[in-house]
């Protein structure tokens, strides 16, 4: 069942779609959307919901911070995205 599309969720999805080729932390996303008055709690809540829906993938980042990659765009379906952990 589709989630109700709030203003905050719409702006978050737009941002994630524009940055679909990047792995971002929740704090990076919240900072980027702070000018649009999206609360940090709304970012975390929506990221969790998008992950449950299978539209977002979560991976471990540096330290304890989780990284998120949006997979809801057609060009990412069936693709494997890898990130270097040591150079």
């Amino acid at each position: 069942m589709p989630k109700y599309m709030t203003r905050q969720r719409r702006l978050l999805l737009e941002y994630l779609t524009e940055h679909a080729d990047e792995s971002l932390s929740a704090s990076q996303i919240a900072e980027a959307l702070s000018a649009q008055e999206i609360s940090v709690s709304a970012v975390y809540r929506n990221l969790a919901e998008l992950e449950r829906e299978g539209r977002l993938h979560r991976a471990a980042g540096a330290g304890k911070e989780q990284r998120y990659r949006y997979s809801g765009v057609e060009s990412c379906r069936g693709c494997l995205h890898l990130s270097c952990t040591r150079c």
Side-chain angles (χ1 to χ4, degrees):
M1 183 168 129
K3 178 84 174 140
Y4 177 71
M5 187 63 68
T6 63
R7 180 188 70 84
Q8 292 180 335
R9 185 174 174 93
R10 181 181 49 77
L11 290 170
L12 176 62
L13 283 170
E14 287 173 5
Y15 181 79
L16 291 172
T17 301
E18 292 169 4
H19 297 86
D21 59 339
E22 299 176 42
S23 292
L24 303 164
S25 68
S27 60
Q28 287 174 310
I29 296 167
E31 184 178 325
L33 296 174
S34 65
Q36 284 130 344
E37 300 179 1
I38 295 179
S39 67
V40 175
S41 63
V43 169
Y44 278 99
R45 183 177 55 253
N46 280 289
L47 289 174
E49 290 172 6
L50 290 169
E51 184 183 10
R52 276 193 296 275
E53 294 170 10
R55 298 171 73 184
L56 191 73
H57 294 287
R58 180 172 41 121
K64 294 182 180 181
E65 196 164 45
Q66 300 293 309
R67 314 258 330 151
Y68 298 89
R69 181 183 289 265
Y70 186 62
S71 60
V73 292
E74 191 61 37
S75 61
C76 286
R77 294 195 198 284
C79 293
L80 177 63
H81 297 279
L82 303 172
S83 297
C84 178
T85 58
R86 183 176 33 164
C87 292

